[in-house]
Amino acid sequence: MTTPTTGAESRTPSRHSADSQAPDADNDGRGGFPVLQAALFVVGCALLVLAAANLTHLTEWADRWGQIPVFLGFFLLMSIAGRWFWTGTDAILAKVIGNQ
């Protein structure tokens, strides 16, 4: 049993087929430098350096605000900074090596 159609399906290409025929669908046809990822790399590096520079203050902060909040805050900061660092690193390396 077939479903009746209005004929619009044959005249309008589907979005999926149009995306798959685009020359560089993942990059929107732009071959530019990944500016957002480069910015994330810089911010991630800055946060990692700031965290490393303040390692000696962790004991003082733990005495003042408690071990659990300081640990969780430091862990959250390091996780976000590491994620941004590696996102930027992957994008920059892909652009430099030519995989993107």
Side-chain angles (χ1 to χ4, degrees), residues 68-100:
I68 293 173
V70 170
F71 173 77
L72 291 176
F74 188 73
F75 182 79
L76 180 65
L77 175 79
M78 293 296 287
S79 297
I80 291 170
R83 171 71 176 188
W84 289 350
F85 171 80
W86 285 113
T87 297
T89 300
D90 289 342
I92 291 168
L93 284 176
K95 193 66 177 173
V96 169
I97 293 172
N99 293 339
Q100 188 176 15

Side-chain angles (χ1 to χ4, degrees), residues 35-51:
V35 177
L36 176 63
Q37 286 87 357
L40 287 175
F41 172 76
V42 170
V43 173
C45 285
L47 286 174
L48 290 172
V49 168
L50 284 172

